Amino acid sequence: MKQDEYFMKKAIEQARLAEKIEEVPIGAVIVMNDKVVASAHNLRETEQRSIAHAELLVIDHACKETGSWRLEDATLYVTLEPCPMCAGAIMLSRIKRVVYGASDPKGGCAGTLMNLLQESRFNHQSEVVSGVLEDECSELLSTFFRNLRQRKKNK
């Protein structure tokens, strides 16, 4: 668990980078052999691309770094539970393990709304660990959206 917390803090650092540029503060890192091989944060607003989620960006970086689309020995750490699109990319890239912080009641597909990552009908399943540094991950998101609503209200 301590190792999961260590690497989740790295994902939280990425989320804080997103927050600084007024992106939804979601960060992700991919770890292989106890080493971060890729890190990313949301860029959806910055790039105006619906697929610029932290998980998709970090998977793309990891594939380039490792020279393979197969990330079979990887653990993905992400501050928010993956959505259906990201869960699909995780499955297709064969990520062994997914560790997330905050659950997503509106789009979570790693156990909240459904669990695509452990669906036995797919040809790959990932181990899922939820709730790692959950309070810190949740607070990042809550504070961001509270401040966003206040800014909109003050306009």
Side-chain angles (χ1 to χ4, degrees):
M1 187 61 166
K2 292 293 182 196
Q3 185 176 20
D4 285 346
E5 290 179 4
Y6 174 81
F7 288 117
M8 185 60 75
K9 287 180 182 177
K10 298 292 184 190
I12 290 169
E13 289 173 14
Q14 287 295 311
R16 291 190 190 288
L17 292 175
E19 183 179 42
K20 285 181 183 176
I21 59 172
E22 298 184 359
E23 288 281 351
V24 176
I26 300 170
V29 297
I30 289 184
V31 174
M32 297 175 82
N33 300 316
D34 299 324
K35 180 181 166 198
V36 174
V37 295
S39 55
H41 56 272
N42 265 10
L43 290 174
R44 196 165 58 167
E45 296 298 327
T46 302
E47 296 184 1
Q48 288 298 299
R49 292 186 315 125
S50 59
I51 64 166
H53 287 206
E55 298 97 320
L56 295 183
L57 297 172
V58 80
I59 288 168
D60 192 46
H61 294 321
C63 290
K64 289 175 183 169
E65 185 66 28
T66 63
S68 177
W69 64 268
R70 289 181 181 90
L71 302 174
E72 295 167 324
D73 295 321
T75 298
L76 168 68
Y77 293 86
V78 62
T79 56
L80 182 66
E81 180 179 4
C83 72
M85 174 176 66
C86 294
I90 291 164
M91 184 214 23
L92 292 171
S93 61
R94 310 290 197 269
I95 290 175
K96 180 178 186 174
R97 194 165 170 264
V98 176
V99 179
Y100 71 86
S103 295
D104 184 358
K106 294 182 178 180
C109 285
T112 298
L113 294 179
M114 63 186 63
N115 192 343
L116 294 176
L117 296 178
Q118 295 181 319
E119 172 56 58
S120 62
R121 293 175 291 179
F122 289 131
N123 64 340
H124 177 79
Q125 293 82 42
S126 300
E127 177 188 343
V128 176
V129 177
S130 62
V132 175
L133 299 180
E134 181 176 15
D135 291 342
E136 192 172 344
C137 293
S138 295
E139 185 58 33
L140 261 173
L141 289 159
S142 297
T143 300
F144 175 82
F145 285 113
R146 185 170 43 251
N147 292 342
L148 182 63
R149 285 189 298 273
Q150 189 61 45
R151 281 195 307 271
K152 287 182 178 181
K153 185 178 175 183
N154 291 338
K155 283 187 179 182

